[in-house]
Amino acid sequence: TPVSWSQLLRNLTEDVPHATYAGAGTEPYQSGLLNKHSEDYYYHFVVYGGGLAQSALGHFRLPPPAETTLQRLRYAAFSCSNWGFGYFNAYRVAAEEDLDFWLHLGDWFYEYGDDHYPSKQEAVRHGLDPPYEIIQLDDYRRRHRLYRSDPALQHLSAASPLIAVWDDHEIANNPWVHGAEDHNPGEGSWETRKKVAIQAYHEYMPTRSWDVQHGGYLGALFYRNFTFGNLASLLMLESRLLNRTDPNEIPNVFHTAQEIVGATAPSSWGAEGETASKMQRLKRTLDEYRGRSNKTMLGDAQLQWIERVTNHDAKHTTWQLYGQQTVMQDMYAADLEAAASAPGYVAARDRFLRAIGGASNPLIYAGDSHNAWAGYARSSDGSVMVPEFDGTSVTSPGFSRANGMFPPSLVSAGYLQANPDMRFMDSAHRGFLLFDLDHDRHVTQYIAADQVTAYNEESELPVATCVVAFKVSAGTASMERMPCRREWPKRSAPKEDEDSSEHQSG
């Protein structure tokens, strides 16, 4: 493995001696003399071996240590970036925002081949490498290299630092402790596949894969916390590989509902008819399954860590932020299917909400669903209710792909009607979440970015607009809709937001 050296400059003038060894995802590294927070650092990488290669200039700021005064943060959250479904224009838009950092909440890439999700006919852009489903270590490395070649991702990576966690597709669709929905016979050992996928992730992502306190390779033990002065703490959780029980135990609810309903119109079901009776039985089966106490997502060790860190941070920071993969709030729909997300693990969600019960101003972020949500994650007994903001995807299609016969506005209205704690739902737009945080309030803007147009990276900014914005005032745990803060650089606005809905109350 070549040695990569990074040369750091403080404020583009002062040399900072620094060297980093780029190992194979399992090696320790040397940190540099970075001891001044809230200042601009610039760096580039020079790789020696087989010729000289030098990267473009990158930029970051160090957060102040715990209990040091910090007035504000600006950051963004992304999830679900699928090469074939479009261009990563959301990254390019965010690169202009002078972010302190950015989050990726999972599905950094997809493991499928070029004939599945999307099909070759659906694909907006081509050139997937490798062109087949990735299983071996070299496959995962090649897919990482492909994504890293994207110009929009390179712009954002150079502009500000990344805090990321995997979801499922960085390994295989819908995994759990002992397998995955899409790890099939003939694809070798699940443990081997999981191990090499994690290794490649640590190789190509800015993770701290080595436990600097106790020594040893962390691997899947990938939950950790960050502190931003006295303003906020951020806990990044791992809910896929360490402790999740099998989400695939129950038959596919959507298909079962389709079989029950068939081609009959709702007007013919009847409140006491056979169709309505079967649907009620299906709902009772799903509710029983969702409520099983032996279904887990985070595990005891992680929950104890969450509770300990939360109780400490609540005394020293204004806000406690929780970044993780799957939507926590209820998102009931007509097809009843939520078994693979946190609403499908009700007891596990309750255990998590109890663990953060000591937080002073908690907020939850998630991705995974390809749609945008705002609402509250509520414990079963109602004792804990936490504002939650869940991002749409960078490119992966929302519910409109599977429910093409229904206008997105109808889909949104259906979810809002079925979920009293939900305040906003949008399945029509791709993009990201932009956050502004100070000691008084937390502002979330849902930014829509065109993903089907290829732009000249040097001379054009992608089309983008703000769909909706919410604020949470410190000490209230209540979200309110507010005007978007400003317009984004754009040549023409995307389609007006007739395809999303929200409850008006806080």
Side-chain angles (χ1 to χ4, degrees):
T1 303
V3 175
S4 301
W5 297 88
S6 57
Q7 184 178 37
L8 284 108
L9 297 172
R10 187 178 291 123
N11 298 321
L12 280 177
T13 58
E14 182 183 351
D15 228 7
V16 180
H18 182 80
T20 300
Y21 176 75
T26 61
E27 300 292 338
Y29 61 88
Q30 299 174 4
S31 60
L33 303 176
L34 308 179
N35 52 16
K36 290 190 176 181
H37 63 79
S38 305
E39 292 193 11
D40 293 300
Y41 285 92
Y42 298 86
Y43 66 95
H44 64 257
F45 292 99
V46 181
V47 181
Y48 302 93
L52 182 67
Q54 181 173 308
S55 74
L57 199 66
H59 163 264
F60 66 92
R61 284 186 294 267
L62 290 174
E67 301 184 49
T68 304
T69 299
L70 179 65
Q71 296 298 335
R72 60 185 57 84
L73 283 171
R74 166 165 274 213
Y75 52 102
F78 303 82
S79 62
C80 307
S81 35
N82 185 306
W83 181 273
F85 275 118
Y87 298 93
F88 300 159
N89 294 328
Y91 294 150
R92 186 65 185 88
V93 173
E96 300 298 310
E97 291 302 314
D98 191 26
L99 303 174
D100 292 291
F101 63 94
W102 55 290
L103 301 171
H104 201 288
L105 299 172
D107 294 342
W108 175 264
F109 65 45
Y110 285 70
E111 80 280 16
Y112 302 129
D114 63 5
D115 59 348
H116 179 65
Y117 201 73
S119 67
K120 293 181 179 180
Q121 292 72 33
E122 288 180 293
V124 174
R125 65 171 167 172
H126 302 275
L128 191 69
D129 183 56
Y132 47 81
E133 182 179 350
I134 57 176
I135 298 173
Q136 307 297 329
L137 176 58
D138 188 59
D139 300 339
Y140 285 98
R141 286 170 168 168
R142 288 171 61 182
R143 192 62 57 86
H144 274 286
R145 287 197 292 269
L146 172 70
Y147 274 59
R148 284 292 184 183
S149 72
D150 181 82
L153 176 55
Q154 291 180 358
H155 266 95
L156 182 55
S157 297
S160 53
L162 165 63
I163 299 173
V165 66
W166 55 64
D167 191 13
D168 55 340
H169 290 288
E170 291 90 344
I171 302 95
N173 181 48
N174 217 2
W176 56 295
V177 173
H178 299 301
E181 181 180 355
D182 281 1
H183 183 73
N184 301 310
E187 293 181 338
S189 161
W190 164 246
E191 290 300 322
T192 298
R193 183 178 188 178
K194 179 171 68 173
K195 179 181 177 180
V196 300
I198 291 170
Q199 178 181 334
Y201 188 92
H202 285 309
E203 288 176 2
Y204 284 87
M205 302 293 284
T207 66
R208 182 162 292 194
S209 58
W210 190 266
D211 187 335
V212 295
Q213 287 186 317
H214 306 104
Y217 173 54
L218 290 175
L221 196 66
F222 196 45
Y223 52 87
R224 70 262 200 233
N225 60 305
F226 303 83
T227 302
F228 300 91
N230 66 345
L231 178 58
S233 64
L234 168 66
L235 279 70
M236 295 294 284
L237 314 183
E238 202 295 313
S239 66
R240 282 289 188 181
L241 301 179
L242 287 175
N243 291 282
R244 182 179 288 231
T245 50
D246 188 359
N248 311 301
E249 296 169 327
I250 195 167
N252 188 294
V253 178
F254 179 70
H255 292 157
T256 304
Q258 283 184 316
E259 291 173 359
I260 292 173
V261 173
T264 60
S267 59
S268 66
W269 294 357
E272 306 298 331
E274 182 180 2
T275 298
S277 178
K278 288 181 178 179
M279 290 293 285
Q280 287 297 324
R281 285 199 299 271
L282 176 62
K283 184 179 185 304
R284 286 194 295 270
T285 299
L286 180 60
D287 285 344
E288 184 278 327
Y289 172 76
R290 295 172 63 243
R292 292 177 187 174
S293 61
N294 63 349
K295 287 173 59 63
T296 63
M297 293 183 71
L298 299 171
D300 291 341
Q302 189 171 184
L303 285 168
Q304 290 167 10
W305 170 81
I306 291 169
E307 183 172 9
R308 183 176 67 254
V309 175
T310 295
N311 291 340
H312 173 273
D313 291 348
K315 300 174 184 176
H316 302 283
T317 62
T318 300
W319 302 91
Q320 296 80 51
L321 316 174
Y322 301 88
Q324 46 85 52
Q325 297 93 333
T326 53
V327 177
M328 287 276 181
Q329 63 181 295
D330 279 339
M331 48 179 188
Y332 288 105
D335 61 23
L336 307 177
E337 186 168 35
S341 59
Y345 290 73
V346 174
R349 179 177 63 184
D350 283 347
R351 289 190 287 267
F352 165 71
L353 291 174
R354 283 198 299 270
I356 67 171
S360 56
N361 288 289
L363 296 163
I364 297 171
Y365 306 139
D368 183 53
S369 75
H370 307 177
N371 303 281
W373 317 80
Y376 299 94
R378 185 192 295 266
S379 61
S380 296
D381 63 5
S383 62
V384 181
M385 189 173 75
V386 179
E388 178 176 348
F389 300 97
D390 307 316
T392 186
S393 61
V394 174
T395 59
S396 300
F399 289 149
S400 55
R401 179 176 182 265
N403 300 300
M405 69 180 71
F406 303 117
S409 56
L410 180 61
V411 174
S412 299
Y415 274 98
L416 292 168
Q417 177 68 28
N419 298 278
D421 286 331
M422 191 177 291
R423 296 295 177 266
F424 171 75
M425 188 273 168
D426 173 30
S427 65
H429 298 101
R430 314 278 69 80
F432 64 100
L433 302 182
L434 181 63
F435 302 107
D436 287 284
L437 186 67
D438 60 34
H439 289 279
D440 295 321
R441 64 180 184 173
H442 171 279
V443 174
T444 307
Q445 296 183 86
Y446 288 74
I447 309 303
D450 163 42
Q451 86 282 8
V452 297
T453 305
Y455 291 89
N456 182 317
E457 288 293 328
E458 300 304 322
S459 60
E460 295 181 292
L461 285 178
V463 171
T465 192
C466 177
V467 176
V468 69
F470 290 91
K471 70 175 179 180
V472 177
S473 298
T476 67
S478 179
M479 64 178 67
E480 303 174 45
R481 187 169 178 179
M482 63 175 289
C484 290
R485 287 195 155 184
R486 65 174 178 77
E487 292 298 315
W488 264 253
K490 54 186 180 291
R491 295 179 303 181
S492 59
K495 184 179 179 182
E496 287 297 316
D497 187 34
E498 63 185 13
D499 296 327
S500 57
S501 304
E502 65 277 338
H503 286 313
Q504 296 298 321
S505 59

